[in-house]
Amino acid sequence: MTTPAEETTLSDELEQSYVESTPRSRELAERARNVMPGGDTRSVTYFRPYPSYVESAHGAQLETVDGETLLDVLNNYTQSVLGHAPEPVVDDVCSRFRAGNGVAAPTEPAVALAEELVGRVPSVEQVRFCNSGTEATMNAIRAAMAWTENERICKITGGYHGTHDVVEVGVADDGREHTGIPRTAEQRVQTVSYNDTEQLKATFEAVGDELACLILEPILGVGGMIPATDEFLQTARDLTAETDTPLIFDEVMSFRLAPGGAQQRRGIEPDLTAFGKLIGGGLPVGAVGGRADLMAQFHPETGSVDHSGTFNANPATMAGGVATLRELDADAIETLNQQGADLRTRLQEIGDDADQPITITGEGSLFQIHFTDEPVRDLASSSAGNPASEQLFHEMRREGVFIAPRGMGNLSTPMTGSDLDQIATAFDRALESLGYSSHCKSLHT
Ligand SMILES: Cc1ncc(COP(=O)(O)O)c(C=O)c1O
């Protein structure tokens, strides 16, 4: 999910300074353009004039091929919650890989990771593994369709659940035509604005008995790191319970917010949960888990949903996931969440002093910078990915801080107090360079 490049503006000075400091990346980008469309193979990692290439990553730092050291406040879009190459995870992944990885048979690490998820998340009784968050939401929806024998799904405008057909509907509000999705997929989807309880009620009133599921993120991630209101989440739970419609929480990003995910933090139990990102220890992963009767749709003898995949429950991935969750215990999460809350307060204070309206949203260790002073509650009020975000991204990068080009950031456990100071200082200096503030405060505490 990116804002289309042609709609954004990048000042000549910023672009020139970026090009001058990234000669090796430019060479690689030119080579890449010959063999990959736009030199890119993951739309979200592309930015103009070309992305910089990373040579290595350790702890909270990235080393680029151009010899730059950047503080990584993007963390592979929240996946690297322990930072990069954490020793305990690397050790367990490598030893499992050495023990033989590509086998068409179950292995113990998958059982251990499933037990860990079931132990942490009360709504999860059974688990199935796959290879991405996309596959996780796809399989969750399939299980819900099989169980309800319905095909329509209700999702949030701006809700991002990966790249399979139905969930791509209603994601972007960028005015660009998105093709490659069958019209029939659009017809199956009912969209509702995030945090719009009345619209959700009206939708269930109209089509509640035709729905296979309601799928939502407990915090709207790509749409702008916007937490759901308690009222919205509770209404979602009540309406789905009344109509026997499976409620699917997409916790691909939000699982880092508590040992049992955002659902534990918010006190709402969904019927199915999609996992991804951090639960694979840095390797490709996804999982769907939930109520035993819904998950029974995947039973190889008695279920009706086929679910295969060469790399499902890949042993090294499973070992990496177990090691990651062992490290990401309740104390580690609490510390991260507190650091995130403190940082959002500091960024908001800096934003309040700027000549440009700025609102910081987020929860726990997740944050988003919006260029607005209106309340941010849904995709329509979010400014994630607007032209100013790309400028801010480049300015912060110049200060050695790497956030998402759409203005999103998140923390990792190896970050220190001085790393957090660096983020706040970079934000202040970036605003000043953009002409949004006339001063640069001393932010070191
Ligand atoms: C909430 C959410 N769901 C699903 C996905 C898709 O996961 P993947 O990129 O592993 O397919 C993402 C990816 O960013 C996500 O943020």
Side-chain angles (χ1 to χ4, degrees):
M1 281 303 307
T2 41
T3 300
E6 54 288 358
E7 282 185 16
T8 60
T9 51
L10 189 62
S11 76
D12 290 346
E13 191 276 314
L14 256 185
E15 180 162 341
Q16 198 184 336
S17 131
Y18 177 78
V19 170
E20 277 166 12
S21 59
T22 56
R24 177 83 184 110
S25 289
R26 193 175 63 220
E27 276 171 33
L28 284 167
E30 275 162 21
R31 266 175 63 195
R33 279 196 200 103
N34 292 328
V35 283
M36 290 181 270
D40 178 39
T41 195
R42 183 181 175 193
S43 299
V44 80
T45 52
Y46 179 80
F47 57 82
R48 293 186 309 152
Y50 50 83
S52 67
Y53 282 66
V54 171
E55 175 97 18
S56 63
H58 291 97
Q61 316 289 332
L62 302 177
E63 303 289 334
T64 73
V65 294
D66 301 293
E68 299 165 300
T69 300
L70 301 173
L71 178 66
D72 189 6
V73 191
L74 182 48
N75 293 305
N76 199 14
Y77 282 86
T78 73
Q79 172 257 308
S80 308
V81 67
L82 301 180
H84 299 286
E87 281 296 331
V89 179
V90 173
D91 287 348
D92 286 10
V93 167
C94 290
S95 60
R96 184 55 238 189
F97 201 81
R98 280 197 198 93
N101 202 46
V103 289
T107 58
E108 188 171 350
V111 184
L113 185 55
E115 284 171 346
E116 181 67 23
L117 291 172
V118 168
R120 285 166 91 114
V121 190
S123 71
V124 171
E125 295 176 316
Q126 300 256 289
V127 178
R128 275 251 165 172
F129 292 107
C130 48
N131 301 294
S132 64
T134 294
E135 288 181 40
T137 61
M138 182 180 78
N139 282 299
I141 291 171
R142 283 191 179 164
M145 284 171 59
W147 190 83
T148 57
E149 298 182 1
N150 285 337
E151 291 197 359
R152 289 181 88 161
I153 72 156
C154 183
K155 74 178 285 287
I156 304 299
T157 309
Y160 181 66
H161 307 292
T163 54
H164 59 101
D165 288 351
V166 284
V167 296
E168 283 271 30
V169 177
V171 174
D173 192 13
D174 57 10
R176 200 160 56 113
E177 193 189 356
H178 294 266
T179 55
I181 314 276
R183 292 262 176 266
T184 46
E186 280 175 23
Q187 288 154 9
R188 285 178 49 207
V189 179
Q190 198 72 40
T191 51
V192 170
S193 292
Y194 205 55
N195 286 324
D196 191 336
T197 304
E198 291 312 311
Q199 197 186 14
L200 188 62
K201 284 183 187 163
T203 300
F204 269 75
E205 181 81 37
V207 295
D209 54 357
E210 294 170 36
L211 293 175
C213 66
L214 166 60
I215 182 166
L216 58 83
E217 300 159 87
I219 172 163
L220 192 68
V222 169
M225 280 306 165
I226 307 166
T229 62
D230 288 335
E231 186 201 11
F232 188 68
L233 283 188
Q234 190 58 56
T235 305
R237 182 62 285 181
D238 293 346
L239 292 170
T240 48
E242 280 159 25
T243 51
D244 242 356
T245 305
L247 174 63
I248 304 173
F249 270 13
D250 180 345
E251 295 243 31
V252 169
M253 272 196 188
S254 61
F255 189 51
R256 58 159 53 212
L257 294 177
Q263 56 193 271
Q264 180 187 30
R265 198 170 153 91
R266 307 303 298 274
I268 301 274
E269 286 198 8
D271 302 300
L272 289 168
T273 302
F275 302 93
K277 297 205 193 268
L278 73 88
I279 67 156
L283 293 165
V285 78
V288 52
R291 251 171 48 197
D293 59 332
L294 284 159
M295 293 301 294
Q297 308 306 314
F298 296 112
H299 193 294
E301 290 174 19
T302 53
S304 61
V305 179
D306 287 331
H307 172 233
S308 260
T310 303
F311 293 106
N312 287 3
N314 173 54
T317 309
M318 299 292 103
V322 171
T324 299
L325 292 180
R326 191 177 62 228
E327 301 297 310
L328 191 69
D329 58 15
D331 288 346
I333 293 175
E334 200 183 315
T335 304
L336 262 189
N337 287 348
Q338 190 53 54
Q339 287 173 332
D342 293 346
L343 181 67
R344 282 194 304 280
T345 303
R346 287 174 77 180
L347 298 181
Q348 186 62 65
E349 281 168 7
I350 295 165
D352 289 345
D353 274 357
D355 302 332
Q356 173 84 7
I358 288 170
T359 299
I360 309 295
T361 61
E363 185 172 348
S365 51
L366 306 165
F367 71 88
Q368 170 85 40
I369 300 157
H370 297 268
F371 288 100
T372 177
D373 51 9
E374 297 297 317
V376 180
R377 58 192 310 271
D378 54 14
L379 184 68
S381 50
S382 163
S383 78
N386 78 2
S389 306
E390 192 193 20
Q391 301 263 16
L392 177 75
F393 157 75
H394 271 286
E395 288 292 2
M396 289 196 57
R397 195 187 176 290
R398 198 146 62 164
E399 298 291 335
V401 172
F402 188 65
I403 60 169
R406 65 169 184 263
M408 184 273 276
N410 62 92
L411 306 184
S412 65
T413 54
M415 284 182 181
T416 61
S418 71
D419 292 331
L420 301 174
D421 289 344
Q422 190 188 348
I423 300 169
T425 305
F427 182 50
D428 196 41
R429 291 203 179 124
L431 291 180
E432 196 186 24
S433 302
L434 290 168
Y436 296 159
S437 102
S438 50
H439 69 288
C440 184
K441 287 194 293 193
S442 172
L443 292 149
H444 294 270
T445 51

